[in-house]
């Protein structure tokens, strides 16, 4: 049976790869997209989410969410990475659909409550909407099937600061709420996504074989590849957000370690995720009563990319229509 999911997202170029994949896969019943600031303003990421749903030709509700983090001042948008419009300059001027008349936080709560124990939350942006939902409805944790999030770094440096990965850095307080709630979390962060290399050749293949969506992804990712080449010094991109969706379908492609995770919320290491494997004893206070986190430590990157490409070349499923 298809897994019921809500994707909480800040599109975002890698978010676009993830959303197209999820919307065409029979493995998912995408109950909605909820948007958040992050790669651009929430107005822009919401516009982009609507554009992606239209391009995927799917009926999927989009609910606009938080415009700012829970406690800290909003960080600058990463225009160097995702462009001014969050889509590498490829966001359409106008979109046909519109958002539903409900805030993302209320949509998440209502949808999870309508399907107790069945809904997986897949946050691939800053965790503000999820933190706010937990704050508003603490009972949400026990009713959610699981959270599979893209974010964090257990054993590697961050990608925004030496300590922090972007989604956690943008709202460390929300992330700390997520990692301290009473639920199952999969933390798919840089430890795994740095094993998954998307090349321009692969994207060219998507453009040739993956129809209009493949061609859009090729255009939108040109700036993303440019950033990785010119600033990071890589001739590939790390395939962040789609990896979280692929984990849901192919967990066998990832190595996980059962752990507890805490988030540094202040100071120069703000946004750092510190993971304690369950097998490791500590007498330090503060590690009790945490989320049960499967931290992804590695991925079979070649197989993840192969899975993505073949899914994007297959005929879209009828699910979600
Ligand atoms: C994460 O940060 C964003 O820029 C990407 O969309 C991804 O969700 C990677 O660190
Ligand atoms: Ca994202």
């Amino acid at each position: 049976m298809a897994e019921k999911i809500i994707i909480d997202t800040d599109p975002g170029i890698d978010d676009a790869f993830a959303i197209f994949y999820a919307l065409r896969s029979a493995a998912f019943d995408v109950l909605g997209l909820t948007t958040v600031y992050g790669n651009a303003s929430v107005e822009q990421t919401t516009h982009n989410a609507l554009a992606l749903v239209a391009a995927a030709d799917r009926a999927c509700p989009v609910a606009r969410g938080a415009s700012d983090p829970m406690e800290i001042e909003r960080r600058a948008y990463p225009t160097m990475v995702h462009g001014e419009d969050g889509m590498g300059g490829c966001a359409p001027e106008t979109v046909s659909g519109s958002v539903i008349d409900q805030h993302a936080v209320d949509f998440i709560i209502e949808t999870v409550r309508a399907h107790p124990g069945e809904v997986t939350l897949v946050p691939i942006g800053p965790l503000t909407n999820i933190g706010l939902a937990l704050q508003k409805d603490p009972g949400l944790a026990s009713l959610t099937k699981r959270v599979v999030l893209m974010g964090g770094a257990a054993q590697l440096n961050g990608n925004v600061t030496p300590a922090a990965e972007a989604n956690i850095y943008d709202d460390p307080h929300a992330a700390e709420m997520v990692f301290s709630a009473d639920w199952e979390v999969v933390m798919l962060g840089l430890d795994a996504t740095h094993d998954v290399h998307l090349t321009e050749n692969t994207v060219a293949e998507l453009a040739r074989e993956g129809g209009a969506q493949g061609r859009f992804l090729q255009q939108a990712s040109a700036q993303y590849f440019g950033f990785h080449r010119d600033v990071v010094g890589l001739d590939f991109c790390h395939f962040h957000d789609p990896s979280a969706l692929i984990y849901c379908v192919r967990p066998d492609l990832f190595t996980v370690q059962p752990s507890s995770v805490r988030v540094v919320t202040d100071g120069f290491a703000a946004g750092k995720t510190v993971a304690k494997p369950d097998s490791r004893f500590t007498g330090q206070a503060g590690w009790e009563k945490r989320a049960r986190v499967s931290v992804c430590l590695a991925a079979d990157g070649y197989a993840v990319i192969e899975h993505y490409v073949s899914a994007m070349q297959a005929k879209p499923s009828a699910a979600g229509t």
Side-chain angles (χ1 to χ4, degrees):
M1 205 170 78
E3 185 167 9
K4 292 182 174 52
I5 62 170
I6 297 173
I7 306 176
D8 189 67
T9 177
D10 62 337
I13 291 161
D14 57 330
D15 301 72
F17 280 82
I19 289 166
F20 279 162
Y21 164 76
L23 288 177
R24 67 190 288 141
S25 167
F28 298 113
D29 178 5
V30 186
L31 301 179
L33 304 184
T34 51
T35 61
V36 64
Y37 71 93
N39 290 323
S41 70
V42 74
E43 289 76 23
Q44 184 68 52
T45 59
T46 305
H47 175 93
N48 295 346
L50 289 167
L52 293 167
V53 168
D57 200 16
R58 284 292 198 238
C60 177
V62 176
R64 187 198 332 241
S67 57
D68 292 279
M70 291 181 76
E71 292 191 28
I72 61 171
E73 207 169 302
R74 188 168 26 75
R75 322 268 194 198
Y77 302 128
T79 52
M80 234 167 62
V81 189
H82 294 268
E84 291 290 336
D85 65 356
M87 284 284 106
C90 293
E93 293 254 304
T94 56
V95 289
S96 49
S98 50
V99 290
I100 60 168
D101 189 18
Q102 189 177 33
H103 191 278
V105 169
D106 297 316
F107 176 82
I108 290 168
I109 292 171
E110 195 177 290
T111 307
V112 169
R113 285 199 166 271
H115 307 279
E118 289 183 28
V119 178
T120 295
L121 302 178
V122 187
I124 54 176
L127 290 161
T128 314
N129 288 333
I130 316 298
L132 290 170
L134 285 170
Q135 195 173 58
K136 190 163 182 177
D137 182 359
L140 188 72
S142 64
L143 297 171
T144 301
K145 181 180 173 193
R146 60 175 176 165
V147 178
V148 180
L149 67 88
M150 191 284 133
Q155 299 181 345
L156 296 182
N157 282 133
N159 58 359
V160 185
T161 74
E165 180 281 329
N167 289 338
I168 309 297
Y169 182 69
D170 277 345
D171 195 343
H173 297 89
E176 173 56 16
M177 287 190 71
V178 170
F179 286 117
S180 61
D182 183 15
W183 56 5
E184 310 282 336
V185 176
V186 175
M187 181 179 110
L188 198 142
L190 303 183
D191 307 280
T193 65
H194 279 210
D195 288 343
V196 188
H197 301 177
L198 180 74
T199 64
E200 286 183 276
N201 281 344
T202 300
V203 175
E205 189 183 339
L206 286 176
R208 277 194 311 275
E209 315 277 344
Q213 290 173 38
R215 291 192 290 281
F216 176 83
L217 291 173
Q218 186 184 38
Q219 283 166 10
S221 59
Q223 155 150 10
Y224 200 55
F225 278 109
F227 170 81
H228 282 79
R229 188 176 49 244
D230 302 339
V231 181
V232 193
L234 297 174
D235 60 359
F236 56 83
C237 304
H238 298 126
F239 207 40
H240 300 299
D241 291 343
S243 295
L245 273 308
I246 292 169
Y247 175 90
C248 296
V249 182
R250 293 291 310 272
D252 57 304
L253 301 181
F254 300 84
T255 306
V256 301
Q257 182 163 261
S259 306
S260 298
V261 173
R262 295 172 70 183
V263 181
V264 179
T265 51
D266 305 296
F268 83 97
K272 180 169 179 58
T273 45
V274 181
K276 182 192 82 61
D278 288 354
S279 55
R280 180 147 187 177
F281 169 79
T282 178
Q284 187 185 37
W287 291 97
E288 323 75 26
K289 298 205 177 128
R290 311 287 304 175
R292 298 169 293 286
V293 187
S294 298
V295 173
C296 292
L297 292 179
D300 179 346
Y302 180 79
V304 171
I305 295 290
E306 200 175 56
H307 170 88
Y308 184 86
V309 172
S310 66
M312 292 300 288
Q313 289 172 351
K315 212 167 155 283
S317 79
T321 51

